[in-house]
Amino acid sequence: MSFEAWLPLLVVLSSFVTGVLILFVGEEQLRTRSILNLLGAIAKLLLVGVMVWGVFHRYLFETRLPMLPDQDFVLRADAMGMLFVSLSSVLWLLTTIYAIGYLEGSPYRSRFFGFFSLCVTSTMGIALAGDLITFIIFYELLTLSTYPLVVHRGTPEALRAGRVYLTYTITGGALLLVGVVWLYELAGSVEFTERGVLSGVPEIHYPALLAIFAILIAGLGVKTALVPLHGWLPVAMVAPAPVSALLHAVAVVKAGAFGIVRIAYDVYGVEFAARLGVLEPLAWLAGVTIVYGSIRALTQDDLKRRLAYSTVSQVSYIVLGIGILGPLATIGGVVHLVHQGLMKITLFFCAGDLAETLGIHKISEMNGVGRRMPWSMAAFTVAALGMIGIPPIAGFISKWYLGLGAVQAKAYWAVGVLAASTVLNAAYFLPILYRIWFLPAAGEWPKAERDQLETRPTLLVPTLATAFLAFAAGLFAGSRFSPLGWAKLIAAREYLT
Amino acid sequence: MSEVSSASPWMPVLILLPLTAGTLSFLFRRRARRTLLAAALAGIWWSLIGLLADLNDADLLRYPIGGWQAPLGIDLRADGLSFMMLAMTATVGSFISLYALGYFADDHSAGTRFWPLWWFLWGALNAVFLSADLFNLYVTLELLSLSAVGLVTLTGDRESLAAGLRYLLAALAGSMAYLMGLALLYGAYGTLSLEGLAGLIRPEPANALAASLMTVGLLLKTALCPLHFWLPPAHGSALPPVSALLSALVIKASFYMLLRLWFEVFPAGLTDVFTQGIGTLGTIAIFAGAWLAFHQEKLKMLIAWSTVTQVGYLFLTFPLAAASPSTALTALSGGVYLAISHAVAKAAVFLAAGAMLKVTHEDRIDRLQGVGRHLPISLFAFATAGVSLMGLPPSGGFVAKWLLLTAALSTGQWWWAVVLVLGGLTSAAYIFRVLRRCFLPPSKHAVFHPVPLVMPLTALFLAGIALALGMSAVFPLRLLERSALLVAGAVASSAVAP
């Protein structure tokens, strides 16, 4: 086979091999492990770079291996998948650096980094899966590889969180499986195709297609944390900060959201889905989740829990973008996949910095912390303002396109949801910023370990990098290779009729 | 049907080789154990490759022993299904043998008794999968049961003797029922060959009685609920390598016979009442077994109850395969694939558990705390094989579940789909109950004893095979399609269906 046929598999394997090797590296071999980690992450980034260039020029990268007699294992790089792949591989590198610093000296690091890499592998597989059965394989693998990360600390609380997490996600996975088997039964093998494949199904099967859509969304909605399936997410906050960052910004919630994107655009086809009448309920569900998540975030004092509820709310922007028919809303939803990832990971990195450096876990303890950790808190501020939707930060772009899309589709209620959510975002983020910068500190802060820097460089550099990316994604949104440019490319390919 | 080759000499070799090895290991006891093992394994794998090459040319292979044809002589026969079962036995058997070398390294008395029995059991298994008539099947099944009972009582302590006795009585009762059915059939038709009967059989009361007697006998040996009472004590109290081969291989032999009996000989008897009924028993086994597995204190008892649930899944094959000729192949492939994946995964789980028990000297789940630190490979193997038992991808268990689900939904029997999916959730519950223990830090008083590296490694390889079965299922499934059973079953059920 040619290079084009191997590249998607190589991208998946680059982190898989890393992960398996790390699992067998001795606990004390810090240097070997770090080198393996970084080599894997950088190799992946290079491969992904080649693939992005290729997909832009309409090269076909497809790995196809026989799995069942009439069913292939398909990995394919398309514009939609590449968006998620690029996001994950960039953030994997940064989170790895962060995690090396964060976990310095704590036990079971080989296990942690091993499963961490397997988790990224699953994310890659989800992004590149060319059909639903391949998608399911990686979707379930993601559940299994994140479980050890959630329970990593081994405390009773962590074990409880792990149990809740599994109960939700394995049930969701089972629902998804039922939906997919049923769909295959009805329509034959379903490969992801731009603009969907189901429009040719005879009308007599429409009720079944409706039911299948509901089952699939319920299955995927668990990881997406759609209300009322979001219960696992705030509980899973006991995991170490790099895991929360990864779970919330990249891997798990995005896997669910990405699955919904795939179902709506590349299986049903968004126009066919609209004809079936399934988009509107989906949009309403997203609207409810957006508002509910924001309201719950208001009352949380634990920083990571507030961020978690904020995630519940923000991820549904993506779903809202799917639910509103029209290219502008699509652009807004799809680009938010990246934007929310960049902003939310920055926020979680900052939460980890605070916990690791000053032992701060609660918002009420954050008074005046801006003076002690100005760089981290500047990053936090950028990301928080972005979440609210202040230009020119990335979050503004998402909201702008979502709003335009809602107006274009005459879904004025969605504009209302966006406005309400923006007010609520401001209501739960601005008080934090006020505490950070304007309130006096309660007492003396612990001294920095090394005099010149506010925290370890391995923690600070990734935080600043993601904050910068969130800023740049908004500022240079007009560029062709910005997330927005890429989302426009996707929308053009999904609606090109 | 495609052509039938006259003789494949590999078939008698596959039976005689383990029997010879058994005799030799009995005569020479401790000497040359490794040499014998190496020679026998090489011979068995070589013969399997030869058999596969022969199967390439013909769908059905025969070997009349001594030149006598049926109905007088002993006729051997092999098709795709037989080959898959033989290969399953050889794969699991090889790793269990290697494991046993390590396990019995410091226990000579049990070790000396283990090898002859194990070789005889292996020979009996191969003979079951190669037999062409119902009487042969009876004889080989008997040899199988007796060696299995012997293996259960290997340690000679009170618990295992009681379990062994119970197992022996169940096995004998099963054999009696089967033999009576056999006698009825022989009286009515004068032949017991699978193919001969398939052509002759008529729907009449005597047949129904014969079939029910044989079925009850075989269900007892396969331990389908409510005839499972002997299994948990026997599989739970035996030594780990023995538990592994009992759960992985022995119950599959009688399941295999049930498939042959119903889908090849009596397909007309697969009425809705019967198949739905047997599926219901399977469902009860799935949920009751999982409930009991979840509440076990001892690790090996938990795994033994898990076998009860997995047997339940196997019997969902009946309603799914009998419902429609177009999906019979899918359902039967799913059932057989489940049997094979379960064999590999369950063996891995028992072998991993055996290593954990040897390390902690405890059979209690709550003492497993911190075992992951000392036996990371065993824990990883346990978890990986557990993925297959839960039916999650990528694993053989998932492929099997996919096929069964497809069959359930396309025949409109959505209730079996519900059972399959909910059953998977319940197995996740009891498997993670073990795994979460292992994430806890070790307690201060825990003492860990070293084990030979071969013990975790064999479990890991088996678990890896369970995953590989999920990634490349094309070859085994294509082989299964070429089997006398499935073709006959598909044809016959089309006659029943409207």
Side-chain angles (χ1 to χ4, degrees), chain B residues 273-328:
Chain B
V273 178
F274 170 66
T275 56
Q276 297 290 324
I278 213 160
T280 310
L281 291 183
T283 307
I284 298 172
I286 290 171
F287 293 109
W291 172 261
L292 285 159
F294 189 80
H295 288 93
Q296 293 304 313
E297 299 277 309
K298 294 183 170 178
L299 179 57
K300 277 177 60 210
M301 284 305 270
L302 181 145
I303 307 173
W305 277 107
S306 149
T307 300
V308 173
T309 72
Q310 298 279 333
V311 167
Y313 285 110
L314 292 181
F315 282 96
L316 298 188
T317 313
F318 279 79
L320 295 178
S324 142
S326 59
T327 52

XYZ file of all heavy atoms in Angstrom, chain B residues 273-328:
422
model
N -41.408 -22.340 20.282
C -41.508 -22.563 21.728
C -40.163 -23.014 22.278
O -39.680 -22.505 23.296
C -42.592 -23.628 22.016
C -42.661 -23.907 23.501
C -43.921 -23.178 21.470
N -39.548 -23.953 21.572
C -38.268 -24.470 22.056
C -37.187 -23.395 22.045
O -36.512 -23.169 23.049
C -37.844 -25.663 21.194
C -36.451 -26.122 21.456
C -36.097 -26.686 22.673
C -35.460 -25.962 20.494
C -34.806 -27.097 22.917
C -34.164 -26.370 20.729
C -33.838 -26.935 21.945
N -37.047 -22.709 20.909
C -35.925 -21.769 20.823
C -36.131 -20.565 21.744
O -35.195 -20.134 22.408
C -35.728 -21.274 19.381
O -36.946 -20.695 18.918
C -35.330 -22.395 18.474
N -37.367 -20.054 21.787
C -37.594 -18.920 22.680
C -37.403 -19.352 24.134
O -36.896 -18.595 24.962
C -38.998 -18.339 22.491
C -39.245 -17.764 21.098
C -38.464 -16.481 20.836
O -38.283 -15.671 21.727
N -37.976 -16.316 19.618
N -37.821 -20.593 24.422
C -37.670 -21.098 25.787
C -36.207 -21.191 26.182
O -35.805 -20.758 27.268
N -35.410 -21.733 25.279
C -33.996 -21.908 25.625
C -33.313 -20.543 25.704
O -32.424 -20.309 26.546
C -33.326 -22.868 24.614
C -32.255 -23.677 25.315
C -32.731 -22.153 23.433
C -31.902 -24.924 24.579
N -33.782 -19.599 24.874
C -33.264 -18.235 24.983
C -33.637 -17.611 26.319
O -32.844 -16.870 26.915
N -34.833 -17.936 26.802
C -35.251 -17.399 28.100
C -34.374 -17.948 29.216
O -33.955 -17.201 30.112
C -36.716 -17.760 28.373
O -37.479 -17.399 27.226
C -37.238 -17.053 29.586
N -34.084 -19.247 29.140
C -33.175 -19.812 30.143
C -31.828 -19.097 30.077
O -31.215 -18.785 31.108
C -32.982 -21.308 29.891
C -34.207 -22.189 30.156
C -33.843 -23.646 29.923
C -34.697 -21.991 31.578
N -31.364 -18.853 28.842
C -30.110 -18.128 28.680
C -30.177 -16.757 29.332
O -29.242 -16.328 30.011
N -31.315 -16.075 29.148
C -31.468 -14.744 29.736
C -31.395 -14.793 31.256
O -30.736 -13.970 31.890
C -32.823 -14.157 29.308
O -32.893 -14.241 27.886
C -32.965 -12.732 29.752
N -32.083 -15.798 31.816
C -32.034 -15.934 33.279
C -30.592 -16.150 33.718
O -30.110 -15.546 34.683
C -32.932 -17.096 33.736
C -34.384 -16.800 33.350
C -32.803 -17.316 35.230
C -35.315 -17.963 33.576
N -29.881 -17.000 32.962
C -28.482 -17.261 33.307
C -27.668 -15.976 33.252
O -26.840 -15.717 34.130
C -27.894 -18.299 32.351
N -27.923 -15.157 32.237
C -27.138 -13.937 32.066
C -27.312 -13.019 33.284
O -26.333 -12.555 33.874
C -27.564 -13.192 30.784
C -27.115 -13.972 29.555
C -26.991 -11.784 30.748
C -27.671 -13.452 28.255
N -28.576 -12.808 33.669
C -28.788 -11.821 34.728
C -28.562 -12.392 36.125
O -27.910 -11.752 36.951
C -30.165 -11.183 34.575
C -30.248 -10.348 33.335
C -30.994 -10.753 32.250
C -29.513 -9.182 33.233
C -31.029 -9.999 31.078
C -29.534 -8.418 32.076
C -30.303 -8.831 30.999
N -29.078 -13.606 36.353
C -28.850 -14.192 37.676
C -27.362 -14.441 37.886
O -26.812 -14.171 38.966
C -29.645 -15.489 37.808
N -26.703 -14.927 36.850
C -25.274 -15.204 36.970
C -24.490 -13.938 37.258
O -23.585 -13.930 38.094
N -24.860 -12.861 36.576
C -24.128 -11.610 36.787
C -24.364 -11.087 38.202
O -23.448 -10.601 38.861
C -24.568 -10.569 35.759
N -25.606 -11.214 38.669
C -25.936 -10.776 40.025
C -25.082 -11.538 41.033
O -24.474 -10.956 41.933
C -27.427 -11.002 40.273
C -27.844 -10.757 41.683
C -28.030 -11.708 42.649
C -28.113 -9.494 42.298
N -28.405 -11.108 43.817
C -28.463 -9.757 43.641
C -28.095 -8.184 41.835
C -28.795 -8.729 44.518
C -28.424 -7.173 42.721
C -28.771 -7.448 44.040
N -25.020 -12.868 40.839
C -24.255 -13.673 41.782
C -22.760 -13.412 41.639
O -22.036 -13.366 42.636
C -24.573 -15.148 41.570
C -25.952 -15.487 42.135
C -26.511 -16.754 41.531
C -25.859 -15.608 43.650
N -22.307 -13.232 40.402
C -20.884 -12.934 40.209
C -20.524 -11.663 40.958
O -19.499 -11.584 41.634
C -20.581 -12.777 38.718
N -21.400 -10.663 40.853
C -21.120 -9.377 41.471
C -20.999 -9.505 42.979
O -20.268 -8.741 43.616
C -22.233 -8.393 41.112
C -21.938 -6.991 41.530
C -21.099 -6.198 40.769
C -22.478 -6.470 42.689
C -20.810 -4.907 41.152
C -22.189 -5.176 43.076
C -21.355 -4.389 42.297
N -21.719 -10.464 43.568
C -21.735 -10.564 45.023
C -20.791 -11.618 45.586
O -20.903 -11.978 46.762
C -23.163 -10.791 45.507
C -23.992 -9.555 45.356
N -24.756 -9.316 44.242
C -24.133 -8.472 46.141
C -25.353 -8.145 44.362
N -24.989 -7.609 45.503
N -19.887 -12.123 44.783
C -18.939 -13.105 45.310
C -17.832 -12.423 46.100
O -17.413 -11.312 45.758
C -18.322 -13.919 44.167
C -19.290 -14.816 43.453
C -19.995 -15.777 44.382
O -19.357 -16.418 45.206
N -21.307 -15.862 44.256
N -17.380 -13.134 47.137
C -16.242 -12.632 47.912
C -14.930 -13.079 47.272
O -13.918 -12.404 47.405
C -16.273 -13.199 49.333
C -17.491 -12.821 50.124
C -17.300 -11.458 50.737
O -16.261 -11.275 51.384
O -18.173 -10.588 50.552
N -14.990 -14.253 46.652
C -13.744 -14.833 46.150
C -13.607 -14.592 44.660
O -14.577 -14.700 43.910
C -13.727 -16.339 46.416
C -13.670 -16.676 47.884
C -13.572 -18.161 48.077
C -13.257 -18.484 49.531
N -13.196 -19.928 49.733
N -12.377 -14.304 44.278
C -12.123 -13.938 42.891
C -12.495 -15.064 41.927
O -13.162 -14.859 40.922
C -10.649 -13.565 42.736
C -10.208 -13.168 41.336
C -11.022 -12.008 40.825
C -8.736 -12.816 41.312
N -12.078 -16.284 42.260
C -12.311 -17.357 41.297
C -13.794 -17.721 41.219
O -14.276 -18.139 40.168
C -11.458 -18.577 41.642
C -10.053 -18.405 41.082
C -9.133 -19.534 41.433
C -9.638 -20.831 40.902
N -9.218 -21.941 41.763
N -14.515 -17.556 42.317
C -15.951 -17.810 42.251
C -16.622 -16.778 41.356
O -17.541 -17.085 40.600
C -16.571 -17.785 43.642
C -16.301 -19.018 44.462
S -16.824 -20.522 43.609
C -18.511 -20.645 44.193
N -16.147 -15.539 41.448
C -16.698 -14.497 40.573
C -16.504 -14.884 39.109
O -17.425 -14.796 38.295
C -16.003 -13.170 40.879
C -16.449 -11.940 40.082
C -16.385 -10.703 40.963
C -15.615 -11.703 38.851
N -15.310 -15.352 38.794
C -15.051 -15.708 37.394
C -15.899 -16.915 36.993
O -16.398 -16.997 35.869
C -13.556 -15.990 37.191
C -12.725 -14.813 37.706
C -13.243 -16.219 35.733
C -11.241 -15.072 37.690
N -16.082 -17.859 37.935
C -16.881 -19.038 37.617
C -18.329 -18.634 37.330
O -18.944 -19.128 36.380
C -16.822 -20.031 38.773
N -18.866 -17.711 38.133
C -20.239 -17.254 37.859
C -20.307 -16.506 36.551
O -21.318 -16.542 35.841
C -20.759 -16.396 39.010
C -21.291 -17.238 40.128
C -20.697 -17.450 41.339
C -22.492 -18.009 40.134
N -21.452 -18.298 42.089
C -22.572 -18.657 41.377
C -23.507 -18.211 39.203
C -23.618 -19.492 41.720
C -24.556 -19.046 39.541
C -24.609 -19.679 40.792
N -19.229 -15.822 36.215
C -19.200 -15.140 34.919
C -19.331 -16.164 33.789
O -19.970 -15.893 32.770
C -17.904 -14.350 34.807
O -17.479 -14.280 33.486
N -18.762 -17.350 33.989
C -18.931 -18.389 32.969
C -20.400 -18.763 32.821
O -20.882 -18.984 31.710
C -18.096 -19.629 33.342
O -16.737 -19.232 33.424
C -18.240 -20.721 32.307
N -21.114 -18.842 33.949
C -22.553 -19.140 33.871
C -23.256 -18.108 32.995
O -24.075 -18.459 32.136
C -23.168 -19.184 35.277
C -24.674 -19.328 35.195
C -22.573 -20.325 36.082
N -22.918 -16.828 33.169
C -23.579 -15.814 32.338
C -23.202 -15.978 30.866
O -24.040 -15.838 29.985
C -23.211 -14.372 32.749
O -21.871 -14.115 32.363
C -23.355 -14.133 34.211
N -21.942 -16.280 30.613
C -21.513 -16.371 29.212
C -22.162 -17.562 28.517
O -22.461 -17.504 27.328
C -19.991 -16.452 29.136
C -19.302 -15.233 29.689
C -19.265 -14.089 28.693
O -19.283 -14.300 27.493
N -19.235 -12.861 29.178
N -22.374 -18.640 29.276
C -23.107 -19.771 28.715
C -24.508 -19.310 28.316
O -25.038 -19.701 27.278
C -23.157 -20.929 29.724
C -24.170 -21.973 29.300
C -21.788 -21.559 29.856
N -25.095 -18.452 29.137
C -26.406 -17.904 28.804
C -26.412 -17.223 27.441
O -27.294 -17.456 26.618
N -25.388 -16.407 27.182
C -25.312 -15.744 25.869
C -25.256 -16.758 24.743
O -25.865 -16.561 23.695
C -24.040 -14.903 25.757
C -24.061 -13.618 26.507
C -23.276 -13.436 27.622
C -24.858 -12.577 26.069
C -23.287 -12.260 28.309
C -24.869 -11.386 26.750
C -24.070 -11.229 27.877
O -24.085 -10.054 28.546
N -24.477 -17.827 24.963
C -24.321 -18.813 23.890
C -25.676 -19.310 23.425
O -25.895 -19.536 22.243
C -23.484 -20.003 24.381
C -22.012 -19.742 24.680
C -21.335 -21.014 25.134
C -21.321 -19.216 23.440
N -26.615 -19.445 24.370
C -27.889 -20.053 23.996
C -28.844 -19.065 23.339
O -29.884 -19.471 22.843
C -28.511 -20.747 25.201
C -27.847 -22.059 25.453
C -26.833 -22.175 26.377
C -28.191 -23.170 24.699
C -26.181 -23.371 26.564
C -27.546 -24.367 24.884
C -26.538 -24.476 25.821
N -28.478 -17.785 23.305
C -29.284 -16.857 22.514
C -29.156 -17.188 21.027
O -29.986 -16.783 20.211
C -28.851 -15.419 22.766
C -29.016 -14.910 24.188
C -28.737 -13.425 24.247
C -30.419 -15.174 24.688
N -28.099 -17.925 20.684
C -27.937 -18.351 19.292
C -29.173 -19.065 18.782
O -29.545 -18.916 17.624
C -26.745 -19.317 19.204
O -25.667 -18.750 19.912
C -26.356 -19.568 17.776
N -29.808 -19.854 19.646
C -30.911 -20.694 19.161
C -32.082 -19.872 18.642
O -32.462 -20.046 17.480
C -31.339 -21.670 20.270
C -30.431 -22.868 20.348
C -29.203 -22.773 20.969
C -30.793 -24.063 19.769
C -28.340 -23.855 21.018
C -29.935 -25.159 19.815
C -28.710 -25.055 20.437
N -32.670 -18.987 19.436
C -33.787 -18.220 18.874
C -33.354 -17.343 17.701
O -34.119 -17.132 16.773
C -34.273 -17.371 20.048
C -33.189 -17.383 21.037
C -32.480 -18.683 20.873
N -32.127 -16.835 17.747
C -31.712 -15.919 16.687
C -31.454 -16.650 15.377
O -31.788 -16.165 14.301
C -30.450 -15.162 17.123
C -30.648 -14.243 18.311
C -29.344 -13.576 18.698
C -31.685 -13.187 18.006
N -30.881 -17.848 15.476
C -30.542 -18.560 14.246
C -31.748 -19.257 13.648
O -31.811 -19.469 12.443
C -29.443 -19.584 14.526
N -32.704 -19.632 14.485
C -33.830 -20.401 13.977
C -34.911 -19.505 13.379
O -35.790 -19.984 12.684
C -34.422 -21.258 15.089
N -34.840 -18.201 13.641
C -35.963 -17.343 13.269
C -36.057 -17.108 11.768
O -37.143 -17.043 11.221
C -35.862 -16.010 13.992
N -34.942 -16.973 11.120
C -35.018 -16.655 9.696
C -33.816 -17.253 8.981
O -32.687 -17.151 9.469
C -35.034 -15.137 9.525
O -34.277 -14.774 8.399
N -34.048 -17.886 7.838
C -32.927 -18.511 7.138
C -31.897 -17.492 6.673
O -30.720 -17.804 6.597
C -33.589 -19.203 5.947
C -34.926 -18.581 5.815
C -35.320 -18.104 7.159
N -32.340 -16.259 6.421
C -31.381 -15.303 5.876
C -30.374 -14.855 6.926
O -29.262 -14.470 6.585
C -32.118 -14.095 5.311
O -32.873 -13.500 6.330
N -30.752 -14.903 8.192
C -29.783 -14.474 9.208
C -29.256 -15.642 10.028
O -28.519 -15.429 10.985
C -30.419 -13.460 10.172
O -31.624 -14.036 10.661
C -30.698 -12.159 9.491
N -29.644 -16.880 9.650
C -29.177 -18.033 10.423
C -27.658 -18.058 10.475
O -27.051 -18.279 11.527
C -29.707 -19.317 9.803
